[in-house]
Amino acid sequence: MSKEKRYKWRREGYRENTKGLLMVNTGDGKGKTTCALGLMMRAAGRGMNCCMIQFMKSKTDRYGEHESAEALGIEVHTMGDGFTWDTNNPEQDVKTSRETWALCVEKMRSEEYDLLVFDELVYVLDYKFLPLEEVISEIKSVREKQPHLHIVLTGRNAPQELIDAADLVTEMKEIKHPFNAGIYAQQGIEF
Ligand code: ATP
Ligand code: MG
C-alpha cells in the first residue's frame, strides 16, 4: 500500500497535535515484541508510517510478522546474526549492532515516520554491544526535533537511565511460560 494512500487516513494536523512517546517494553515474561507489533498494527490503521528494526534476530529468518507487516504496509528490517548465545562471537555482535543502530539513526533522522520500533535494542544495550549514553542522547536529540515521533524499544533488563528517559515503561513479568514445561517456540506464537 502506498504511503500517500495511508497518509489520507490520518487526522488533519496529526503531527502538530501529537505528543510523541518513548516507550519501553521490558521484563522477563513473554510479550515485549508481540506488544510492539500490535501497536504498529493499530497505528498503521490510522495511516501512521511505521517501521520496525530488529536487532539480534537473524537476517536470514523470516517470521510471521514479516508477512503480515508487508500486507499492512509496515516496514520491517531484520538485521541481526541471531541471539548472542547462538553466535558466540561478541566482536561480530558489536559490529552488527553498530550497523543496525546506524539504520535506526537514519530512519529517526529521515522525518518520514510516526512510529519506530527498535526491537531487542534493550537487549543489545544490556550486553553493552552499544554505548547507552550514545543511544539515549541520539534519541533525545531526535525527539526534540520531531516532537510527534513515537519510539518503542523492547528487550529484557532495561537500564535505569533508559527508564528515566522514557514516558511509558511496561514490565512483562513471567508468571508461567510453556518453555519451562518443555514446550518450545511454536509457529505463529513465537515466530
Ligand atoms: P515475543 O516475541 O513472543 O513477544 P518477547 O519479545 O517478550 O517475546 P524475548 O525476550 O524477545 O521475548 O525472547 C525471545 C524469545 O524467547 C521469544 O520467542 C519468547 O517466546 C521467548 N521467551 C520470552 N519469555 C520467556 C521466558 N520467560 N522463558 C522462556 N522463553 C521466553
Ligand atoms: Mg522480543
Side-chain angles (χ1 to χ4, degrees), residues 31-34 57 83 119-120 154-156:
K32 300 173 286 293
T33 301
T34 316
K57 288 169 180 165
F83 280 92
D119 187 37
E120 312 301 348
T154 83
R156 294 175 186 217

Side-chain angles (χ1 to χ4, degrees), residues 4 6 16-17 24 29-31 37 39 46 53 63 72 77 88 92-93 98 131 134 142 146 167-168 182 187 189-190:
E4 290 67 33
R6 277 186 292 122
E16 295 70 23
N17 293 306
V24 177
K30 176 176 165 65
L37 287 166
L39 193 63
R46 292 292 187 186
I53 297 176
Y63 308 110
L72 291 173
H77 302 271
N88 222 352
Q92 182 64 33
D93 290 333
R98 268 267 151 235
E134 184 188 329
V142 165
Q146 299 173 70
D167 301 291
L168 175 63
Q187 229 181 29
I189 303 298
E190 264 82 34

Side-chain angles (χ1 to χ4, degrees), residues 122-140:
V122 181
Y123 174 99
V124 164
L125 293 171
D126 185 40
Y127 273 77
K128 314 249 183 302
F129 294 152
L130 283 175
L132 179 61
E133 305 70 40
E134 184 188 329
V135 167
I136 291 182
S137 112
E138 177 64 31
I139 289 176
K140 276 190 178 156

Side-chain angles (χ1 to χ4, degrees), residues 129-178:
F129 294 152
L130 283 175
L132 179 61
E133 305 70 40
E134 184 188 329
V135 167
I136 291 182
S137 112
E138 177 64 31
I139 289 176
K140 276 190 178 156
S141 127
V142 165
R143 295 184 74 211
E144 274 165 24
K145 293 180 191 122
Q146 299 173 70
H148 73 277
L149 182 61
H150 295 297
I151 300 174
V152 181
L153 313 178
T154 83
R156 294 175 186 217
N157 300 325
Q160 191 57 47
E161 293 90 324
L162 199 59
I163 292 172
D164 292 342
D167 301 291
L168 175 63
V169 182
T170 301
E171 181 181 16
M172 307 295 172
K173 183 178 176 342
E174 182 186 316
I175 307 282
K176 216 172 176 183
H177 195 287

